[in-house]
Amino acid sequence: MDEAPSSWFDQASTLPDQGSEDLESFQGEKRTIIQQTSLSDPKLEKLKEVLVSWINTSLKQEHIVVQSLEEDLYDGLVLHHLFSRFTGVHLPVEEIAVTTVAQTHKLGVIMEALNQSLAVGDQASRRWSVKLIHTKDLLATLYLLVAMVRRFQPDLALPSNVSVEVVMLEVNKSGIKSEKQVEHITEPSDSAEDSAKDSKKGDPIDELLKLDPQKIETVKQAVMHFVNRNMSPLGLQVTDLEKQFADGVILLLLIGQVEGYFVPLCDFHLTPTAHSEMIHNVTLALDLLNDRELQVSNVDPQDIVSQDVAATLKVLYALFKRHKSK
């Protein structure tokens, strides 16, 4: 809606302090500003805390500590490390970008790769453009991080139904247009709870691990027999499910065998030695399974690389269940 400048200035007194940011620099563009009342919403504060904790836990090995989402992500350093951590891909960008030009260039490379990995359309990716992230836009940063959590660690419980009231500003030569609206950052509680219930409902491996060790071993042997039956044409044999699948190589070869297609050797590391190479292989394997509509719930690439028995069995059981009759 159009408002007179005097009306807008009354409204602007309720907006958060933008520091030295000059609205004229956004002339011709639309700018979204979170209302001060929403910034103090406990739900929003909780979401920020969860996301900060997620980042710091994910990057603990890199000794990276984030304290502020607005101040610590704008230069691309943290986003690059998060991307590398969850995809195993190290992008060709400088580690520390000091100048504005270097930072925006680095962010451009990272955001392009992230958007491809997140598989989002242009409309969604506009919520977290390079300019918005670099100008420390909190709403854009939150949208991006929530999308990353949903993609890379979907089992992480985020506060549900987090929304903020914003003012949409458009500055042009004739004046200022403003409009209030509500932005929903996370889904309503009913959707979130249903989603969580669906992801946990009757997971056969979770239920299996509650049984006595003998029954667990019986299932592992059945899965191992299935694996070796399909890997024998390649001259390979598996004797330890957790260790031999940790680097992702046999998993990729197995997927190719049972799904009936060849995974190009140039797409993965055939003899991985570095942790990032193993993460890359396992991430590729899980992506291939998703592409084949064979989704595995609550499995992170890091879990398989770390030889987590539950994660490894979930992936192998999904393949076993689909192809055992063959």
Side-chain angles (χ1 to χ4, degrees):
M1 63 181 175
D2 292 347
E3 295 183 356
S6 59
S7 172
W8 177 79
F9 282 117
D10 290 338
Q11 187 183 72
S13 63
T14 66
L15 301 179
D17 182 14
Q18 297 298 305
S20 60
E21 184 177 80
D22 187 358
L23 281 174
E24 291 182 2
S25 65
F26 296 96
Q27 191 154 15
E29 297 181 17
K30 289 185 178 180
R31 184 70 168 167
T32 304
I33 301 176
I34 301 177
Q35 290 276 48
Q36 189 67 43
T37 51
S38 290
L39 285 174
S40 57
D41 187 332
K43 285 187 176 182
L44 180 62
E45 288 297 321
K46 180 62 178 176
L47 176 63
K48 291 167 67 176
E49 290 175 9
V50 172
L51 291 172
V52 167
S53 176
W54 173 68
I55 294 171
N56 290 335
T57 301
S58 300
L59 301 182
K60 186 176 181 180
Q61 292 183 344
E62 286 89 343
H63 305 290
I64 292 176
V65 178
V66 167
Q67 295 180 326
S68 167
L69 296 180
E70 300 97 312
E71 298 296 329
D72 295 342
L73 274 70
Y74 75 97
D75 62 355
L77 175 69
V78 172
L79 290 174
H80 183 211
H81 278 268
L82 281 173
F83 179 78
S84 298
R85 158 73 173 77
F86 287 106
T87 67
V89 177
H90 190 81
L91 299 171
V93 294
E94 55 187 318
E95 179 68 9
I96 299 177
V98 179
T99 67
T100 297
V101 173
Q103 289 170 354
T104 52
H105 171 73
K106 179 177 181 177
L107 274 173
V109 175
I110 295 168
M111 299 304 286
E112 182 179 1
L114 258 176
N115 288 335
Q116 289 179 355
S117 183
L118 295 173
V120 295
D122 291 341
Q123 185 174 0
S125 63
R126 289 194 196 103
R127 289 178 167 181
W128 52 75
S129 68
V130 170
K131 183 172 184 178
L132 289 173
I133 297 298
H134 189 255
T135 54
K136 306 178 184 180
D137 187 287
L138 176 59
L139 183 60
T141 303
L142 289 172
Y143 271 133
L144 174 59
L145 291 174
V146 168
M148 291 175 67
V149 169
R150 297 297 188 220
R151 168 66 180 85
F152 298 125
Q153 197 166 342
D155 58 329
L156 180 67
L158 295 177
S160 60
N161 203 25
V162 178
S163 60
V164 292
E165 188 177 61
V166 301
V167 176
M168 300 285 294
L169 297 178
E170 185 176 359
V171 183
N172 53 43
K173 292 181 180 179
S174 62
I176 299 172
K177 294 180 181 179
S178 67
E179 180 182 354
K180 283 186 179 182
Q181 66 182 51
V182 175
E183 293 282 334
H184 298 281
I185 304 173
T186 62
E187 66 268 27
S189 56
D190 288 342
S191 301
E193 288 172 7
D194 290 343
S195 177
K197 288 176 182 177
D198 289 341
S199 65
K200 296 178 181 178
K201 182 180 178 180
D203 190 302
I205 300 303
D206 288 336
E207 296 301 317
L208 167 68
L209 294 176
K210 298 176 184 179
L211 303 177
D212 61 78
Q214 185 176 356
K215 292 182 179 180
I216 296 174
E217 190 61 30
T218 300
V219 174
K220 288 177 69 174
Q221 290 299 322
V223 171
M224 191 176 297
H225 175 74
F226 161 77
V227 169
N228 285 326
R229 187 181 68 204
N230 286 282
M231 297 308 295
S232 59
L234 300 180
L236 297 173
Q237 183 177 16
V238 172
T239 57
D240 189 316
L241 291 179
E242 295 91 81
K243 289 183 179 179
Q244 289 182 261
F245 280 93
D247 63 8
V249 175
I250 294 182
L251 179 56
L252 284 167
L253 296 175
L254 176 64
I255 292 172
Q257 284 290 98
V258 299
E259 292 288 329
Y261 62 89
F262 178 72
V263 182
L265 299 180
C266 60
D267 287 354
F268 66 98
H269 303 280
L270 191 57
T271 55
T273 54
H275 180 268
S276 61
E277 294 175 340
M278 299 179 188
I279 289 288
H280 171 83
N281 285 355
V282 176
T283 301
L284 174 60
L286 295 180
D287 287 343
L288 289 174
L289 292 179
N290 286 333
D291 290 343
R292 310 292 287 188
E293 297 183 350
L294 207 165
Q295 296 187 356
V296 184
S297 62
N298 303 332
V299 173
D300 184 86
Q302 177 62 41
D303 296 335
I304 294 179
V305 174
S306 301
Q307 302 180 23
D308 181 86
V309 60
T312 305
L313 276 176
K314 282 181 181 180
V315 174
L316 295 178
Y317 182 79
L319 287 167
F320 169 75
K321 186 176 179 181
R322 174 181 283 189
H323 297 284
K324 62 182 179 179
S325 60
K326 299 179 184 179

